[in-house]
Amino acid sequence: MKSTECEDSLKMFIFEELKIKAEKAQTIEIVNKVCSARGEWVLKDLDYSVHLHPSISLSLSDEVEYDKSLLLWHIATEMCYVKNSGGDPDDREFSKVLSDYMLYLLVLKPTMMSEVAGIARVRYQDTCEEARNFFKRWKTELSSLPVDQREIRACENLLHVSTTIRPKLVKEGDRSESLLFDACILAKDLNDLAEAVGEERRGEERRWKMMSRIWVELLSYAAFRCRPNAHAQQLSQGAEFITLAWLLMLHFGLGQVSN
């Protein structure tokens, strides 16, 4: 898919998602719930409860800091994207584009994300460091492969890591905030979710549909919580996509209650 085609279709996808949410938000209470959703509304709407692994719902819950959720989902999305090419190509590409964009905001646009950033920079740096250490042992093998095969093999190596024991318990006493292996658990469970649905193509389609919609909620959550003056300042410098999403939310009557 060409970047311009992806951009136009992505804008329409986000427009339709926010429009649907606005139609459901008939009271102030529901408006605030919609704007505070970080993926849980998507899970309820798609009724994945039968096949849902705990790591999926937990990673999106209020018990987990937003920046942690975003980093977990970015890594897991990347692993699913590299390993799985099936399903609806639009939903797959939307997930990838939004995942990369939200990480860009979190790491490189801290003023835009200051209300939700938490200790994102520490978690990001620690995760990168753990990834570098992990892949040192595979350096010779990976470097011998064609470039287009290296990412696939790297993801395979990560997915083969035993995660029976939670990474937090393994690293007890370690002050690292790395999320690398927690994200591996999430990626495995997302893959299992696709397989649990039944027929492979249908499972892939439903999984990518869920993931793309979750990324819209992660985007709108951050847009809602970004300070209005930060959005205004960004407009004078050239609008960020998250600011356009915020303006669209206002257009649909989402967000002004809090802001």
Side-chain angles (χ1 to χ4, degrees):
M1 182 185 295
K2 296 179 180 178
S3 59
T4 51
E5 292 174 345
C6 177
E7 184 177 327
D8 290 342
S9 55
L10 177 59
K11 288 176 182 176
M12 184 56 65
F13 173 65
I14 293 172
F15 178 91
E16 292 297 335
E17 283 295 303
L18 293 177
K19 181 181 177 183
I20 291 170
K21 292 180 184 298
E23 289 170 350
K24 295 178 180 178
Q26 299 299 315
T27 67
I28 293 176
E29 181 183 4
I30 298 177
V31 167
N32 285 326
K33 284 183 177 180
V34 167
C35 294
S36 298
R38 291 167 28 179
E40 59 267 36
W41 272 55
V42 174
L43 299 182
K44 291 177 182 176
D45 188 39
L46 294 177
D47 190 24
Y48 269 103
S49 56
V50 175
H51 303 300
L52 204 59
H53 290 267
S55 74
I56 298 176
S57 54
L58 180 61
S59 68
L60 298 167
S61 73
D62 292 337
E63 299 174 25
V64 177
E65 297 93 329
Y66 175 84
D67 65 294
K68 184 174 180 178
S69 291
L70 195 151
L71 286 168
L72 284 170
W73 274 82
H74 171 75
I75 299 169
T77 298
E78 186 68 21
M79 293 174 72
C80 291
Y81 184 87
V82 171
K83 281 288 293 170
N84 303 287
S85 58
D88 187 294
D90 282 354
D91 288 324
R92 180 174 177 267
E93 205 63 30
F94 295 159
S95 299
K96 167 67 171 170
V97 171
L98 288 173
S99 171
D100 288 349
Y101 177 66
M102 294 307 294
L103 182 71
Y104 151 77
L105 288 180
L106 196 65
V107 176
L108 298 178
K109 289 285 185 177
T111 54
M112 293 290 293
M113 302 286 279
S114 61
E115 296 300 309
V116 294
I119 57 170
R121 185 166 292 277
V122 173
R123 287 187 170 121
Y124 175 74
Q125 292 173 342
D126 286 354
T127 301
C128 289
E129 182 62 26
E130 185 157 45
R132 280 191 290 267
N133 291 334
F134 176 80
F135 288 118
K136 278 180 183 176
R137 73 188 76 171
W138 308 102
K139 184 176 180 180
T140 302
E141 177 192 346
L142 293 174
S143 61
S144 67
L145 293 171
V147 175
D148 61 341
Q149 293 296 312
R150 291 176 190 172
E151 275 192 332
I152 296 174
R153 181 62 61 82
C155 286
E156 288 174 348
N157 290 342
L158 278 171
L159 289 170
H160 287 153
V161 171
S162 174
T163 50
T164 305
I165 302 175
R166 304 292 298 185
K168 185 177 181 180
L169 297 177
V170 175
K171 298 188 296 183
E172 190 171 2
D174 186 349
R175 297 179 64 184
S176 172
E177 293 290 341
S178 172
L179 299 171
L180 182 63
F181 297 113
D182 295 278
C184 287
I185 294 174
L186 178 59
K188 289 178 183 179
D189 288 349
L190 287 168
N191 285 331
D192 288 347
L193 178 63
E195 294 171 5
V197 171
E199 192 269 321
E200 182 179 355
R201 178 173 177 79
R202 180 168 168 266
E204 289 280 353
E205 286 179 351
R206 291 194 69 188
R207 192 267 306 279
W208 283 117
K209 171 62 70 178
M210 178 193 78
M211 291 174 68
S212 62
R213 293 182 64 190
I214 284 172
W215 275 112
V216 172
E217 283 201 359
L218 289 169
L219 169 70
S220 60
Y221 179 92
F224 178 65
R225 274 159 179 72
C226 181
R227 296 189 306 274
N229 63 329
H231 282 301
Q233 289 172 6
Q234 186 60 47
L235 283 170
S236 66
Q237 301 167 19
E240 279 288 352
F241 195 72
I242 191 173
T243 297
L244 300 180
W246 174 67
L247 290 172
L248 185 58
M249 291 174 72
L250 294 180
H251 171 73
F252 282 133
L254 300 171
Q256 68 265 50
V257 174
S258 177
N259 289 336

